[in-house]
Amino acid sequence: MQPFTMLVIEQIKAIPAGKVMTYGGIAAAAGSPRAARQVVRILHSMSGKYQLPWHRVVNAKGEIALMDDESRFMQQSLLKDEGVEFIRDGRIDLSVYGM
DNA sequence: GCCATGGCTAGTA
DNA sequence: GCCATGGCTAGTA
């Protein structure tokens, strides 16, 4: 496992319940601001193995990025259970979370 | 080659 | 809606 990958995994694991981070934000925190897509890949392929709170990651607009209906519903439910509030229809006001 | 991005245009209203 | 971007895992040889 490469250093950057490890940093990204740590960042994701460090997101507390009830908070969210963006793909780009995580990439930046791991020292590589333009590597948002790589964060996507890591979530996609290592969420299960490393027990990542994958549902706490959203895109830069505060939207759930998943394409699959079932998965996005799941993500929304998990976030709501943690107290994350959605504005009209599936968006999160990122300014509430300091972004 | 993959990927669940992001940011900036063109083009419509 | 388009396309430049980044870092590398999964899987074959």
Side-chain angles (χ1 to χ4, degrees):
Chain A
M1 161 128 48
Q2 301 305 295
F4 178 77
T5 304
M6 192 131 57
L7 289 173
V8 168
I9 288 173
E10 283 170 12
Q11 287 298 328
I12 296 169
K13 292 187 87 159
I15 307 171
K19 296 202 77 179
V20 295
M21 269 198 200
T22 63
Y23 297 91
I26 292 166
S32 191
R34 307 220 191 107
R37 300 211 68 147
Q38 185 62 9
V39 173
V40 169
R41 256 200 81 267
I42 290 166
L43 276 171
H44 191 78
S45 59
M46 311 202 215
S47 278
K49 196 170 185 176
Y50 294 92
Q51 309 242 328
L52 305 181
W54 58 271
H55 61 282
R56 308 213 258 254
V57 187
V58 297
N59 72 19
K61 300 174 196 159
E63 299 165 340
I64 287 174
L66 286 164
M67 313 308 274
D68 175 49
D69 285 343
E70 204 173 335
S71 309
R72 46 188 302 119
F73 178 79
M74 168 69 47
Q75 181 170 5
Q76 218 182 56
S77 308
L78 288 168
L79 287 174
K80 280 180 177 169
D81 288 347
E82 294 180 352
V84 173
E85 298 211 356
F86 286 81
I87 337 175
R88 47 143 199 278
D89 225 47
R91 277 201 49 195
I92 295 168
D93 182 5
L94 289 180
S95 66
V96 171
Y97 301 92
M99 311 183 82

